[in-house]
Amino acid sequence: MRLLFLGPPGAGKGTQARRVADRLGVPHIASGDLLREHVATGTPLGVEAKRYMDRGDYVPDDLIIELVSQRLDEPDAASGFVLDGFPRTQAQARSLDGYLADHATPLDGVIRLVVPSDVIVERLSGRRLCPTCQRAYHIAYDPPDDDELCDDDGTRLITRPDDEADVVRRRLCVYEEATEGLLAYYEDAGLLVRVDGVGEVEEVAKRVDEALGAGA
Ligand code: ADP
Ligand code: AMP
């Protein structure tokens, strides 16, 4: 299965994509996670990307396309993947199409998670992230078993700097300007499946599974 998740920041893409990938036994590839690993280790790419991420802007297409293409070339992605946060622009979508055509591996489906902005703001203000495995939690809706520690590896959770209210507003604008056009792109390709992202994590997961059964 080759799937991708589309939706605004905070829609629950990472939460749902991770579950689907685990269930299918394919890697969950999130462009934001790849970037944050570079930022955390202070590579030149990470230093460059951080300037954009801290403001809530997209990093340049060439940089992210190179990063995701390298990840897709790793052996574990040969049998499938769940992409999350990529593509976000027309140039990225065209580049992904080229990559998939070169490898004779078409996409099976695109899940569009639909969540209104008031819900998004509430989700992002309570998001906590494990800096080791990048799993997202929410202080009220999806808390870890032990207060501030990741259930999977015990790492102390952090708040993402770009989940600060001003940056969230900017990220939502950038999504509307640069990414919403991709919905029509994938709809025209007959791949888009719309899923209501409001409700408990389990409830949304059930809808995603149903959508995949029916639409991909
Ligand atoms: P995205 O990857 O789209 O930015 P995340 O998966 O990181 O979104 O989710 C954003 C925040 O909302 C996280 O704190 C996550 O725990 C929480 N969350 C995800 N899905 C739900 C849901 N269905 N209900 C409530 N909170 C959710
Ligand atoms: P995310 O973890 O998906 O919310 O991404 C965090 C930040 O990383 C975004 O606000 C962008 O600055 C950057 N980013 C992630 N994926 C992309 C992408 N496909 N194109 C451009 N910038 C990206």
Side-chain angles (χ1 to χ4, degrees):
M1 271 282 211
R2 288 171 188 81
L3 301 172
L4 65 89
F5 275 77
L6 270 182
K13 300 182 298 297
T15 303
Q16 298 299 333
R18 186 178 272 262
R19 294 168 79 100
V20 172
D22 281 354
R23 184 167 62 72
L24 297 173
V26 297
H28 164 221
I29 300 179
S31 47
D33 290 353
L34 298 175
L35 288 168
R36 277 184 292 277
E37 280 164 24
H38 278 271
V39 172
T41 49
T43 65
L45 187 151
V47 172
E48 163 87 356
K50 189 173 187 309
R51 290 174 28 222
Y52 297 93
M53 295 167 79
D54 283 351
R55 291 198 301 258
D57 288 332
Y58 286 171
V59 304
D61 282 331
D62 54 347
L63 193 153
I64 194 78
I65 286 171
E66 174 67 15
L67 190 63
V68 174
S69 305
Q70 277 176 13
R71 178 65 188 88
L72 290 173
D73 278 338
E74 286 178 29
D76 65 338
S79 57
F81 50 75
V82 181
L83 270 175
D84 154 15
F86 182 94
R88 266 172 150 110
T89 64
Q90 299 280 349
Q92 293 175 25
R94 280 194 298 273
S95 149
L96 179 65
D97 280 351
Y99 182 95
L100 295 169
D102 288 349
H103 293 74
T105 52
L107 277 180
D108 295 292
V110 177
I111 301 281
R112 174 193 179 187
L113 284 181
V114 182
V115 179
S117 21
D118 54 331
V119 176
I120 282 173
V121 169
E122 205 192 344
R123 285 188 183 174
L124 292 183
S125 65
R127 174 157 65 182
R128 298 290 180 274
L129 189 77
C130 172
T132 302
C133 71
Q134 307 268 359
R135 177 171 164 187
Y137 295 84
H138 190 282
I139 46 172
Y141 304 126
D142 193 10
D145 294 335
D146 184 353
D147 226 13
E148 292 285 317
L149 306 179
C150 177
D151 292 348
D152 294 335
D153 53 44
T155 308
R156 184 157 298 281
L157 304 181
I158 57 159
T159 303
R160 273 173 54 171
D162 58 346
D163 280 346
E164 196 257 317
D166 281 356
V167 187
V168 165
R169 274 194 290 276
R170 171 78 192 142
R171 286 164 64 205
L172 287 171
C173 287
V174 172
Y175 171 81
E176 277 171 29
E177 282 165 18
T179 305
E180 265 185 357
L182 289 188
L183 299 173
Y185 183 83
Y186 286 114
E187 182 130 55
D188 291 348
L191 288 169
L192 198 73
V193 190
R194 186 185 191 281
V195 173
D196 178 4
V198 180
E200 291 187 7
V201 171
E202 294 295 335
E203 213 176 311
V204 178
K206 201 160 156 262
R207 286 183 210 136
V208 169
D209 288 347
E210 281 165 8
L212 289 175

